[in-house]
Amino acid sequence: MTGLDALIGEREIASPEAMEDLGREIGALLGPGDLVVLTGPLGAGKTTLARGIAEALGVRGPIQSPTFVIARTHPSLVGRMPLIHVDAYRLGSPAELDDLDLDLDGSVTIVEWGRGMVEGLRDTWWDVEIGREWHGHGVDNACGTIGREDELDAAAPRRVTVTRRP
């Protein structure tokens, strides 16, 4: 097994703290050249997971969503590889991601909103999908249906699925 093979599959994450714990577990398994794509709706916990990964890698923070700067490089504080944290939400094509000229070989790279954007950057990468579990959270009417996505409970459990791509 290599990389995140040991973590392939689904798991329920009950809290933001548990999401950071999962990030630390993921980060401990990553090495230079690894690419991780984080997928999920707004507020799902992508950046929280990235914080845990960054902590395990021992990089300089703070770890915040790079939405407006698109990509941030966090150098190692412990003599390991840096972390590149990308938010591809505002990018229009994979070519724009490639144009950032990131050091993918010497770094661990996390790309939020990266599905459909990273193909061609690496032969294989890790896809971590974060979905919200309902468990009664977010119900806003007598019929039990979900209203607006942003009204969901931030502390509601998440379903995290790790797969290797392609």
Side-chain angles (χ1 to χ4, degrees):
M1 280 191 271
T2 60
L4 303 184
D5 282 343
L7 299 178
I8 288 175
E10 289 188 7
R11 66 197 34 82
E12 183 176 289
I13 302 299
S15 68
E17 295 79 17
M19 187 68 77
E20 281 195 38
D21 289 344
L22 176 61
R24 284 187 283 277
E25 188 176 354
I26 289 171
L29 297 172
L30 296 173
D34 283 336
L35 173 63
V36 179
V37 173
L38 302 181
T39 303
L42 287 171
K46 295 180 296 293
T47 302
T48 301
L49 185 69
R51 277 190 205 104
I53 293 170
E55 185 179 325
L57 295 174
V59 299
R60 185 177 67 210
I63 304 302
Q64 303 167 338
S65 179
T67 301
F68 297 104
V69 295
I70 300 177
R72 262 192 198 101
T73 299
H74 298 274
S76 175
L77 298 173
V78 295
R80 296 185 68 206
M81 63 272 164
L83 170 67
I84 298 173
H85 188 191
V86 179
D87 186 325
Y89 185 78
R90 296 186 313 131
L91 298 178
S93 71
E96 288 183 36
L97 180 60
D98 190 45
D99 286 346
L100 296 175
D101 197 29
L102 304 171
D103 177 16
L104 299 175
D105 292 330
S107 306
V108 168
T109 304
I110 297 172
V111 182
E112 295 187 27
W113 304 98
R115 266 200 194 146
M117 301 293 274
V118 301
E119 290 76 2
L121 293 178
R122 287 272 169 258
D123 290 337
T124 61
W125 65 92
W126 303 100
D127 187 81
V128 179
E129 182 168 1
I130 305 170
R132 291 190 169 133
E133 290 288 304
W134 305 123
H135 295 290
H137 294 276
V139 175
D140 69 351
N141 64 35
C143 297
T145 57
I146 300 302
R148 294 180 20 205
E149 185 174 303
D150 61 351
E151 293 173 349
L152 295 171
D153 185 349
R158 306 299 200 244
R159 173 69 54 192
V160 177
T161 306
V162 177
T163 54
R164 185 171 1 131
R165 300 283 183 203

